[in-house]
């Protein structure tokens, strides 16, 4: 008998009726002949509401107490779901991270899972019980409760699937799968039957808020097949996420994503000599600022200086403002220019490897609609262009047309689709 991990997000367990529906979805999986481990998120907006509540008490809560507070959300939904399953005549037991032994680093608010103990879960599986586990939380070796970062129950689910060698990990939410682009922007966007871990990771990083990126990294590392599917349409298999080598690639580009939460910073006229970039980015790293696109311009013949431009998350602007004086001191720029009116539009596709001309096609598409590109960055399977915010939507629409992403689904699995 195989093990299946099912994860249900906040919208799927938002009220009592929805919890009862989830109970049906769990029982159905059990009746298919599987052993079932379920991971739940907090109900609806519980986590947001708890954060709001804490802010009414203090603006500077300790990270430890925040974890104590936020970890309660998942414990509400796990016990209610166990009750709902019991009520329908099946054996279920809820367990929190401490009871399971989901061991994490000692890092409140963003802990990584180090190990998952086998004993307790195995005992209940052997007893033929359905196990409901609180997502998002973990425990340190000295008994402190931690959380994995917002959206972290996806990662709890995949880590459990890896630890118990599950056949697959199904992530249920209110979306029906992964789309070629945001269907709110392009209504004809297609739901993908399959996407690779690599592509999903790139899409997750450039603004497709479907999955917690670390869950995809973990799935890739341990080869756990994931499915993104809707808890409101149980017959729909959603999107399967697997290794790129298991896929048949038909098109160079799989998806278009947009991130409008970044700002561009230009450090003007930095003297062109060894050590300046190192000093600058070490300072930013020490401040905990993660930098995304980086461009250094060609050195000017007069004055021997160049501009260094990069992007950071707009939420980090305050932190950045705290180091501007220091930057002026260490690299002596003529100006520091901040541009908030930007969006990063990216095309992603494993099929672009070894296929020249995809970048040119992207730039041509933007040129044809008269959009100026402010910055470009590329990786093996992604090309990103920075454009003005108010042009982002037309860029996405045009790129979908160029790369045929508002037509049929683009990739297929080699062999049969696992169900
Ligand atoms: N409840 C947590 C959050 O809202 C974790 C999760 O939903 O994955 O971020
Ligand atoms: Mg979530």
């Amino acid at each position: 008998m195989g093990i299946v991990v099912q994860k249900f997000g906040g919208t799927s367990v938002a009220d009592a009726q929805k919890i009862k529906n989830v109970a049906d979805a769990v029982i159905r999986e059990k009746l298919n002949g599987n052993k079932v481990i379920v991971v739940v998120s907090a109900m609806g907006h519980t986590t947001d509401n708890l954060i709001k509540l804490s802010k009414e008490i203090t603006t500077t809560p300790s990270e430890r107490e925040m974890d104590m507070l936020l970890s309660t959300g998942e414990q509400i939904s796990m016990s209610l779901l166990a009750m709902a399953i019991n009520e329908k005549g099946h054996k279920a037991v809820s367990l929190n991270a401490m009871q399971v032994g989901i061991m994490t680093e000692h890092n409140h608010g963003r802990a990584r899972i180090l190990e998952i103990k086998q004993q307790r879960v195995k005992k209940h599986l052997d007893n033929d019980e359905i196990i409901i586990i609180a997502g998002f939380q973990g425990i340190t070796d000295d008994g402190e409760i931690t959380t994995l970062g917002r959206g972290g129950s996806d990662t709890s689910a995949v880590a459990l699937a890896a630890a118990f060698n599950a056949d697959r990990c199904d992530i249920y939410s209110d979306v029906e799968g992964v789309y070629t682009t945001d269907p709110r922007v392009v209504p004809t966007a297609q739901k993908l039957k399959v996407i690779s871990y690599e592509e999903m990771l790139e899409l997750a990083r450039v603004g497709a808020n479907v999955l917690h990126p670390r869950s995809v990294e973990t799935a890739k590392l341990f080869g756990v097949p994931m499915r993104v599917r809707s808890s409101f349409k149980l017959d729909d298999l959603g999107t399967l996420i697997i290794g790129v080598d298991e896929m048949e690639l038909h098109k160079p580009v799989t998806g278009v994503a947009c991130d409008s939460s970044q700002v561009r910073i230009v450090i003007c006229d930095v003297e062109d000599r060894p050590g300046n970039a190192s000093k600058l980015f070490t300072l930013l790293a020490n401040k905990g600022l993660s930098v995304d696109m980086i461009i250094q311009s060609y050195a000017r013949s007069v004055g021997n200086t160049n501009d260094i431009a990069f992007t950071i998350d707009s939420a980090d602007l305050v932190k950045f403002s705290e180091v501007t004086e220091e930057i002026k001191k260490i690299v002596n720029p003529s100006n520091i220019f901040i541009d908030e009116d930007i969006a990063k539009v990216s095309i992603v596709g494993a099929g672009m490897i070894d296929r020249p001309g995809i970048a040119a096609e992207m730039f041509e598409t933007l040129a044809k609609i008269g959009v100026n590109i402010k910055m470009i960055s590329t990786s093996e399977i992604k090309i990103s262009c920075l454009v003005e915010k108010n042009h982002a939507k037309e860029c996405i629409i045009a790129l979908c047309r160029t790369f045929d992403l508002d037509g049929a689904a683009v990739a297929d699995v080699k062999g049969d689709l696992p169900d």
Side-chain angles (χ1 to χ4, degrees), residues 246-316:
E246 296 164 82
M247 289 171 53
E248 222 54 273
L249 296 168
H250 299 311
K251 290 184 185 176
V253 178
T254 304
V256 178
C258 176
D259 179 359
S260 42
S261 69
Q262 298 208 334
V263 291
R264 176 170 72 140
I265 292 173
V266 188
I267 314 286
C268 306
D269 291 309
V270 176
E271 198 188 332
D272 189 28
R273 64 179 159 81
N276 268 344
S278 151
K279 274 193 248 168
L280 175 64
F281 289 103
T282 304
L283 175 68
L284 297 175
N286 289 343
K287 189 75 191 166
L289 285 162
S290 43
V291 171
D292 189 32
M293 301 166 108
I294 302 177
I295 287 187
Q296 179 178 298
S297 65
Y298 187 64
R300 296 184 184 89
S301 50
V302 183
N304 197 29
T305 63
N306 51 36
D307 298 337
I308 299 179
F310 53 88
T311 60
I312 59 170
D313 215 82
S314 52
D316 281 341

Side-chain angles (χ1 to χ4, degrees), residues 41-42 47 74 136 150-153:
S41 288
T47 311
E74 274 66 17
F136 180 52
R150 294 305 306 271
S153 10

Side-chain angles (χ1 to χ4, degrees), residues 72-186:
T72 61
E74 274 66 17
Q75 298 203 185
I76 297 173
S77 36
M78 73 173 191
S79 45
L80 291 173
L81 179 57
M83 288 178 208
I85 294 171
N86 289 333
E87 189 64 20
K88 289 176 190 281
H90 290 263
K91 286 194 285 183
V93 57
S94 67
L95 297 173
N96 64 20
M98 185 173 327
Q99 291 166 310
V100 172
I102 301 179
M103 311 309 297
T104 71
E105 306 168 334
H106 209 297
N107 196 359
H108 287 294
R110 53 190 163 276
R112 282 176 173 266
I113 297 176
L114 301 172
E115 188 201 347
I116 296 181
K117 304 269 192 232
Q118 300 274 320
Q119 211 180 356
R120 183 81 191 256
V121 169
K122 278 230 167 94
K123 187 183 97 188
H124 292 289
L125 285 179
D126 290 344
N127 209 10
D128 208 27
E129 287 166 294
I130 294 166
I131 306 173
I132 322 290
I133 297 174
F136 180 52
Q137 55 177 260
I139 180 107
T140 63
D141 54 7
D142 53 356
E144 287 295 306
I145 290 180
T146 52
T147 60
L148 312 182
R150 294 305 306 271
S153 10
D154 293 342
T155 300
S156 310
V158 175
L160 281 157
F164 293 97
N165 212 359
D167 293 344
R168 56 170 212 277
C169 181
D170 284 355
I171 307 283
Y172 288 86
S173 70
D174 56 349
V175 300
E176 286 169 26
V178 181
Y179 283 77
T180 49
T181 195
D182 187 340
R184 288 168 303 185
V185 178
V186 182

Side-chain angles (χ1 to χ4, degrees), residues 33-49:
N34 296 302
K35 287 183 182 284
V36 186
I37 298 174
V38 181
V39 174
V40 282
S41 288
M43 294 171 71
H45 297 290
T46 303
T47 311
D48 289 331
N49 292 339

